[in-house]
Amino acid sequence: MSRVEALRALIKEHECDAYLITDSDGHYTFYSLSEEDRRLNWITECQAQCGLAIVTLNNKAFFQVPPNYRFLAKVEVNTDVWTLGDDIVQWINNQQLSLKRIAYDPRLTPLFIIEQFSALASSLYPIHSSNNWIDIISKKETSSEPSKLTPIWPLDEFRFAGQTSIEKVEKLRRNYLSDGEKKYTLIITAMDEIAWLLNLRANDMECNPLFYSFAIVSCNQLWLFTDNPHQDLQYEIRPYESFFAFLSTLKDQDVWLDERTSVIVLHHLSSTGVVRISRSPIQQMKEIKNSVELEGFRQCHFRDCAAVCQTFEWLQKSMENDALNVTELDVAKYLESRQREQVDFISIAFDTISASATNTALIEYSPFARKTKTLIARDLFYLDGGGNYLDGTTDMTRTLHFGQATQEQIQCYTLALKAILFIEMTGFPCDDTLTGCYIHSLLRAQFASINNSNEHISFGHGVSHGMGVVEGGIFISDSPSLATSTPIRPGMVIAIEPGIYFEGKWGIRLENVYEVIEDDQRFIHFIPLTLLPYSRPLIDVNLLSSEELKWINVYHQRCLQYVDGGTWMKQQIDLFL
């Protein structure tokens, strides 16, 4: 409460009616915000890294929470202070709030957020102070220059990228920036797009091998803005902090901005020509993987799945010895230690979700952020982990039970498995109807026999190539957006993770990463890259068809063929025979 009241004092001091808090770091980076950029976490006291919040002067505060963080927010957020929901604008209208002046930080607010507020009568008031208001009340020192800068290193273009940076830039210019007589200058603020385009990496953040940077690409020039140490980069390098001043020199040029670009960029482009705000062409390019990238994805999954099998074998032996008192945090650390032993490992791709008992209902729970539980044989447990490798990124979830599961738990696990099998066994026409929203509806339909009052999350996302777990252009969700309406195409790599969660009780989730391919008849298929056994004690075979059982057996043979899964993998697969 004191944090919110301190913010209200600033709102009053600046004669505003509310303050908007985003989840952005100015580059709209997924799952790798540094501690100083986790302002939304700090003000809400919730570990959710995604969302949007507003604090008003009249004792009202709203936290817009994504579906996958909803249960977690209910546990962690003080609901005497915050109202939780999924649409800030609708809440403002329903409350009939008169917010004539909503302050926000233009450095940290994406353009698409501003567009959402365009229907309100309120006036959005950008705060151009160098200090964010959350930083002021949290007593954090802020600077225009990032505090942690690591050396930039080149990705081996032949072994891992499959294309040279020169080829990528030429393709960008030829296919997107040159449109007849119109020539666009692309302004890039997303660090994963810069890293992909230039085949460069660094370690400025925990879960993504990226470096603090901006870039501008025209039809004949390329500027890279970074202060990171580097050697032999064949670009025009300028200081990171000079980026915004440089924007004002782009006079009379037609400019292309991604909708996730921060508002402050637009403020510095007042003298340019046409400003096109639409999906970044680099996002469109990098979500279709080439043959080298796809082979890398296959290879890194073989290694990462072996690390998961080693973890589960250790965990199973530990659970047989109750005196060891293994915690959720112990499992997360053990998995990371096994991943670090794998060839070409860079970092974990996100904070590992290691959850047991009631924590399995929280969906995005992390034992690093809360008091960790000791695993008990009578409880469900699931592990959701992934790694960044030089040749790709992994993301998997498996649910286990070391005792006797209830019939309801077995039913729900089996339905989650059927949801995955349905996608794998179906050939989809290659047309614009195959979207994340459509896949979500198919996944969710598998849970139709379960009471609809429970939370069924049929979620998924594109997976980047060695640069973090989320490829922002594709999402599997029922929330209308550009990412859920973008057609799924061959060459994409997508994680699918159906689950069901009983609030305050338990949850079950399964997750595989898939390569999207097209056959000779132009049908789309989802081929699993994740090769890990399913849990036979949690499956009701009476709910599976003979075709589904055969499919599982073929899948398990692939697991044995490609993954060094040790004794644990063989034991799990033998249970099906």
Side-chain angles (χ1 to χ4, degrees):
M1 188 68 174
S2 62
R3 297 181 180 187
V4 172
E5 289 304 322
L7 181 56
R8 286 199 172 106
L10 278 177
I11 296 172
K12 183 176 182 180
E13 178 185 333
H14 288 80
E15 299 181 342
C16 294
D17 299 299
Y19 187 68
L20 189 67
I21 306 109
T22 70
D23 58 5
S24 178
D25 61 354
H27 299 274
Y28 212 70
T29 310
F30 279 103
Y31 292 126
S32 61
L33 294 179
S34 60
E35 284 301 317
E36 58 267 25
D37 285 322
R38 298 192 178 193
R39 298 173 181 88
L40 184 69
N41 302 134
W42 187 86
I43 193 67
T44 62
E45 299 181 72
C46 176
Q47 65 175 300
Q49 288 194 40
C50 302
L52 187 65
I54 192 167
V55 173
T56 72
L57 193 59
N58 63 353
N59 296 320
K60 292 184 182 292
F62 185 88
F63 183 16
Q64 179 176 300
V65 187
N68 51 318
Y69 283 107
R70 191 173 299 143
F71 286 173
L72 185 66
K74 285 184 179 181
V75 171
E76 296 186 337
V77 171
N78 184 346
T79 53
D80 291 332
V81 177
W82 295 93
T83 299
L84 303 178
D86 56 11
D87 192 326
I88 279 185
V89 174
Q90 184 179 25
W91 175 77
I92 292 172
N93 285 327
N94 291 344
Q95 294 288 315
Q96 297 182 333
L97 298 178
S98 177
L99 304 177
K100 296 180 180 179
R101 200 178 189 193
I102 301 176
Y104 71 96
D105 188 336
R107 297 171 304 165
L108 305 177
T109 306
L111 292 166
F112 76 88
I113 297 293
I114 297 301
E115 178 62 27
Q116 292 174 12
F117 280 78
S118 61
L120 290 176
S122 308
S123 174
L124 291 168
Y125 177 62
I127 303 297
H128 288 289
S129 166
S130 61
N131 280 334
N132 180 278
W133 287 5
I134 302 299
D135 295 341
I136 292 173
I137 62 175
S138 63
K139 305 296 190 296
K140 291 181 180 177
E141 294 293 328
T142 58
S143 169
S144 60
E145 182 178 349
S147 57
K148 181 184 177 183
L149 301 177
T150 57
I152 295 173
W153 45 274
L155 188 68
D156 187 314
E157 296 182 325
F158 177 77
R159 290 183 59 203
F160 302 122
Q163 277 184 300
T164 68
S165 59
I166 293 174
E167 290 171 332
K168 291 179 178 180
V169 172
E170 288 179 348
K171 183 178 179 180
L172 171 66
R173 287 170 169 157
R174 180 178 64 252
N175 294 350
Y176 295 95
L177 302 188
S178 182
D179 184 10
E181 294 184 359
K182 187 176 289 294
K183 308 294 182 183
Y184 284 104
T185 295
L186 178 66
I187 297 175
I188 314 167
T189 61
M191 292 182 286
D192 62 317
E193 294 185 7
I194 296 169
W196 179 87
L197 181 68
L198 304 182
N199 289 334
L200 300 175
R201 303 289 188 270
N203 301 101
D204 285 4
M205 49 205 65
E206 291 182 0
C207 296
N208 285 359
L210 308 177
F211 54 99
Y212 285 101
S213 55
F214 299 103
I216 298 176
V217 182
S218 72
C219 287
N220 51 25
Q221 288 182 281
L222 190 157
W223 299 270
L224 177 62
F225 299 81
T226 185
D227 294 330
N228 288 66
H230 59 270
Q231 290 183 347
D232 302 325
L233 293 185
Q234 305 301 311
Y235 312 107
E236 184 171 340
I237 310 295
R238 294 184 175 237
Y240 178 88
E241 61 184 10
S242 71
F243 169 71
F244 294 105
F246 186 85
L247 292 175
S248 63
T249 69
L250 301 176
K251 297 183 183 297
D252 302 321
Q253 294 191 32
D254 295 329
V255 171
W256 189 334
L257 301 178
D258 186 87
E259 61 175 5
R260 299 167 299 167
T261 304
S262 294
V263 176
I264 193 170
V265 171
L266 198 58
H267 289 174
H268 285 83
L269 289 171
S270 57
S271 62
T272 61
V274 172
V275 177
R276 175 179 179 176
I277 301 175
S278 63
R279 190 171 181 233
S280 166
I282 299 178
Q283 182 64 62
Q284 299 174 56
M285 292 169 64
K286 78 188 188 75
E287 69 191 13
I288 305 296
K289 277 62 178 180
N290 60 49
S291 60
V292 173
E293 290 173 318
L294 289 172
E295 179 58 26
F297 267 110
R298 299 179 196 114
Q299 295 298 325
C300 73
H301 275 82
F302 298 160
R303 303 191 302 274
D304 194 77
C305 288
V308 174
C309 289
Q310 292 167 16
T311 301
F312 284 154
E313 182 164 340
W314 164 81
L315 179 57
Q316 180 172 284
K317 291 177 180 178
S318 299
M319 293 300 292
E320 293 169 357
N321 185 349
D322 293 337
L324 292 179
N325 293 323
V326 175
T327 68
E328 298 162 328
L329 185 55
D330 292 333
V331 182
K333 289 182 175 180
Y334 192 92
L335 173 61
E336 183 175 351
S337 67
R338 298 288 77 79
Q339 290 171 315
R340 288 188 178 279
E341 295 171 352
Q342 306 304 313
V343 173
D344 295 330
F345 177 81
I346 302 173
S347 69
I348 58 173
F350 53 93
D351 288 343
T352 302
I353 300 171
S354 173
S356 67
T358 55
N359 287 340
T360 58
L362 298 180
I363 308 178
E364 297 288 350
Y365 163 84
S366 170
F368 295 93
R370 293 174 51 84
K371 184 178 179 181
T372 183
K373 284 183 179 290
T374 298
L375 272 61
I376 301 174
R378 66 171 179 268
D379 294 328
L380 281 168
F381 170 79
Y382 66 64
L383 185 65
D384 184 344
N388 289 313
Y389 295 84
L390 292 174
D391 49 358
T393 294
T394 66
D395 187 10
M396 69 84 219
T397 306
R398 285 296 182 266
T399 301
L400 305 175
H401 202 296
F402 298 97
Q404 179 58 53
T406 68
Q407 189 56 43
E408 187 177 33
Q409 291 169 341
I410 292 172
Q411 179 192 18
C412 289
Y413 182 97
T414 307
L415 293 178
L417 176 57
K418 286 178 70 70
I420 278 180
L421 295 176
F422 180 81
I423 300 301
E424 292 181 10
M425 297 171 70
T426 302
F428 299 93
C430 184
D431 57 36
D432 290 349
T433 64
L434 184 59
T435 64
C437 193
Y438 177 62
I439 293 294
H440 174 275
S441 68
L442 299 179
L443 291 166
R444 192 167 187 122
Q446 298 298 318
F447 295 103
S449 61
I450 302 295
N451 188 328
N452 285 332
S453 65
N454 297 309
E455 188 76 8
H456 313 204
I457 301 290
S458 300
F459 183 65
H461 52 83
V463 181
S464 77
H465 183 260
M467 292 185 298
V469 70
V470 173
E471 187 89 83
I474 293 291
F475 274 95
I476 295 173
S477 168
D478 59 353
S479 300
S481 70
L482 180 62
T484 58
S485 60
T486 297
I488 295 173
R489 295 290 188 238
M492 290 182 176
V493 174
I494 296 175
I496 297 178
E497 44 186 314
I500 183 166
Y501 308 89
F502 293 79
E503 186 174 1
K505 296 181 180 179
W506 49 265
I508 282 173
R509 175 160 74 243
L510 289 173
E511 178 182 20
N512 289 337
V513 172
Y514 292 90
E515 173 187 350
V516 181
I517 70 165
E518 182 181 12
D519 66 19
D520 294 339
Q521 285 73 46
R522 296 208 68 226
F523 280 92
I524 294 289
H525 299 273
F526 292 78
I527 308 300
L529 294 167
T530 305
L531 296 175
L532 291 166
Y534 298 115
S535 181
R536 177 62 182 87
L538 286 170
I539 296 174
D540 183 349
V541 293
N542 295 316
L543 297 178
L544 298 178
S545 68
S546 59
E547 290 78 11
E548 288 171 328
L549 287 170
K550 290 178 183 177
W551 194 272
I552 292 172
N553 285 330
V554 171
Y555 171 76
H556 281 167
Q557 290 308 307
R558 286 189 65 217
C559 295
L560 290 171
Q561 180 180 356
Y562 291 108
V563 177
D564 183 8
T567 303
W568 182 84
M569 174 179 277
K570 188 174 187 309
Q571 287 177 343
Q572 300 307 305
I573 292 175
D574 283 348
L575 292 175
F576 284 82
L577 303 179

